[in-house]
Amino acid sequence: MFSKILIANRGEIAVRIMRTAKRLGVATVAIYSDADAGAMHVAEADEAVRIGPAPVAQSYLQADTIIAAAKATGAEAIHPGYGFLSENPKFAEEIDQAGLVFIGPSAEAIRAMGLKDAAKAVMEKAQVPVVPGYHGERQEPEFLAEQADTIGYPVLIKARAGGGGKGMRKVDEPGQFADALQGAQREGKASFGDDHVLIEKYVNSPRHIEIQVLGDQHGDAVHLFERDCSLQRRHQKVIEEAPAPGMTDEMRAAMGDAAVKAAKAIGYSGAGTVEFIVDGSDGLRPDRFWFMEMNTRLQVEHPITEAITGLDLVALQLRVAVGEPLPFAQSDLAIYGHAFEARLYAEDVPKGFLPAIGTLDYLRFSSAARNDTGVREGDEITPHYDPLIAKVIVHGSSRHEALAKMRDALADTLIAGTVTNKAFLAALFRHEGFSKGEVDTGLIDRDLPGLLHEGSPPMLAQAMAAIAVLGLAGEVDRQDPWSSLSGWRLWGAAQHYVKLVQGKKAFDLRVSLRNARDFKVSSQTGTINVSLVERAPDRMIVDGHMQSLRFAVSEVFGRVALVSVFLNGETFVFDVPDGVTDAGYADPGDDVRAPMPGLVKQVRAKTGHDVSRGDALVVLEAMKMEHTLAAARDGTVAEIYVADGDQVSDGDLLVSLVPEKE
Ligand code: ADP
């Protein structure tokens, strides 16, 4: 076994790799950018090396600097994790040339699978079924449009270098083709520096089912069964499970064989994933799955495979990398129970799943789940990297049991200081079709309104938020806000007014103080009496009944900006508008503002032109994804404040509208 390895990654995956390394007695070296100097993965490592400033191009993508760090610290091997340089064949080659070991497949294997078009050609040759479509060299828009006609609509345009759902556009009819092609090319160029695309038939009732494979350096390969990743949004996985609901032995054997064939065709060693698209319109049938691509690295969702097989995939990666043969044969492997993974992100779901940032003022995970995380309480989610907070993984003896466990685990996960997608995930785990195992990649989009539905926050949540904002719930201790009720502030007026905002809804609360612990709180939705219980900071008596809840307040620039109330497994997050900018919330219809920091890719609006509700005004790129900002109502474009290529901050005014000329 290695005695020391360097982990060329950050966040949860770096921490997860270190956990196994430690168990195997392997010392670890972390790398970090300036933004991550205090990060969890740095604290967990035996040693850490700074590699550059925050932007990934100057830090986590600096292959030479990373290899030099490995040499300087005496690491014998480099684990790339996922993302960043993990699928970069040059990186693997250079590591090799430096006399170190790349923990992953050979550069040739990565290269063979690196581009979706070339990979499909290799798989066709190996007699693995591939999705029908065009994956040749020609790229003239007219030619590609003809190909789309031949394939038959709907089609999917994919950037050949794509990943993470980027550079992909579904096209339903010929009229949309040209625009979609441009979008896919633009995103491909921006994210991967390659605007080459391929066209695929869009498969009906699509399900994404992938097979985990593991190969060694002696030509052997096995599969570790499937994962169903059909619950997606914008082609990005949201929830994964293993095994796939409705999977038959016959289909599993066929898919497993195809995946092992794929791995062997390229002499694959290490852990990899062969992704298939499955037509699920008529159950799972062995003649209805097609190769999409192979990920030549550890996958984000690998923990669910670990849960159902009892194996440690990172340990296996390390063993294979030192040259050991696979420690088992296909017939030794079996599936135990059922597992789910939910990806918990800092993102504003009602605002269109916008990545969010913030300081995690409070963070508690459920003990019923495996929580793979790279952040601790007090850490910051910055705009520089993926806003993943944690992967919540549960395992049960049956799908039903695992579902129940996930519902409980999410209810027990408490996060304050940023908005998260927890309520959305919880709604998915309550979704009737999903609960029955009826999954396809369109489920989330189709049922989005129901999944986003948030009732009005209960009066108690509003009341507690208001009491907390006023500082009347005891001293606000950032570490543990409810550990102490000491430090009562001096009483000012007996009545306070607080405005709280949730998305487009505003709550105007009046808090009347009876004495130090008894409050009467009213808003447009009702009135309640709240009495705090002495020395029990998470308890209160509400209209005569004992209730328990928790809250946390988050400050930005010394001002309370956010309150999170945890009540009955739900988290209610309220913005506390700054008095000065309060007016902005009144009518969002006229002003189109940047919902997050980003780059203006394209201004679609034209001054003086009439627009209808929903018309695209500005295309913004943020976190390497394009977001189209649309008109909130009919009107005329009065003023445009930005141009293509401008960098904008959260809240910047981009375009203003006036009512349409009569
Ligand atoms: P990426 O590398 O960006 O993740 P993939 O090729 O793996 O892209 O595809 C991502 C997702 O897009 C799939 O999981 C699936 O939901 C959807 N998808 C891909 N190809 C097809 C297809 N031909 N028909 C229907 N859906 C598809």
Side-chain angles (χ1 to χ4, degrees), residues 116 131 156 158 162-166 168 200-203 206 208 232 235 275 277 292-293 441:
K116 291 179 201 286
V131 191
L156 199 61
K158 288 183 181 179
K166 288 167 201 156
M168 203 174 325
E200 280 183 1
K201 171 89 195 140
Y202 187 84
V203 171
H208 172 121
Q232 305 184 342
H235 308 299
E275 296 190 333
I277 189 89
M292 274 194 298
E293 64 165 355
T441 60

Side-chain angles (χ1 to χ4, degrees), residues 110-192:
I110 301 176
R111 209 163 264 137
M113 292 295 176
L115 297 174
K116 291 179 201 286
D117 50 359
K120 283 179 77 172
V122 174
M123 289 301 102
E124 259 175 341
K125 237 177 97 188
Q127 294 184 327
V128 174
V130 304
V131 191
Y134 176 75
H135 49 264
E137 276 300 311
R138 292 186 60 181
Q139 294 290 300
E140 313 89 85
E142 308 72 39
F143 174 79
L144 292 174
E146 274 166 33
Q147 291 299 313
D149 289 338
T150 314
I151 296 163
Y153 284 86
V155 298
L156 199 61
I157 306 175
K158 288 183 181 179
R160 70 168 172 189
K166 288 167 201 156
M168 203 174 325
R169 293 286 189 282
K170 181 183 174 207
V171 196
D172 292 310
E173 51 180 44
Q176 305 167 340
F177 188 84
D179 259 8
L181 178 63
Q182 272 188 25
Q185 288 171 330
R186 216 174 26 237
E187 225 169 84
K189 188 94 194 152
S191 301
F192 316 103

Side-chain angles (χ1 to χ4, degrees), residues 270-341:
T273 295
V274 184
E275 296 190 333
F276 295 100
I277 189 89
V278 175
D279 177 344
S281 57
D282 195 13
L284 294 180
R285 296 175 31 173
D287 59 343
R288 296 218 181 148
F289 70 88
W290 300 275
F291 171 88
M292 274 194 298
E293 64 165 355
M294 179 167 186
N295 292 321
T296 52
R297 52 164 164 84
L298 192 64
Q299 199 93 328
V300 177
E301 57 274 20
H302 77 276
I304 56 174
T305 297
E306 297 186 321
I308 60 157
T309 57
L311 298 169
D312 178 336
L313 280 171
V314 173
L316 288 163
Q317 285 187 301
L318 294 180
R319 292 173 68 168
V320 165
V322 291
E324 287 182 28
L326 291 183
F328 38 62
Q330 189 69 55
S331 55
D332 297 328
L333 298 166
I335 296 177
Y336 304 93
H338 204 99
F340 286 100
E341 174 182 280

Side-chain angles (χ1 to χ4, degrees), residues 460 528-531 540-549:
L460 176 56
I528 55 169
N529 296 293
V530 178
S531 302
M540 50 228 60
I541 295 164
V542 180
D543 289 336
H545 298 283
M546 184 72 90
Q547 265 278 3
S548 109
L549 64 63

Side-chain angles (χ1 to χ4, degrees), residues 9-10 30-42 48-62 65 376 380 382-385:
N9 217 298
R10 63 176 304 283
I31 57 167
Y32 64 92
S33 71
D34 290 337
D36 277 341
M40 182 175 181
H41 76 277
V42 175
V49 181
R50 176 192 176 271
I51 34 149
V56 295
Q58 295 167 51
S59 53
Y60 295 104
L61 292 177
Q62 284 288 333
T65 318
R376 301 150 300 184
E380 213 183 318
T382 73
H384 304 296
Y385 315 110

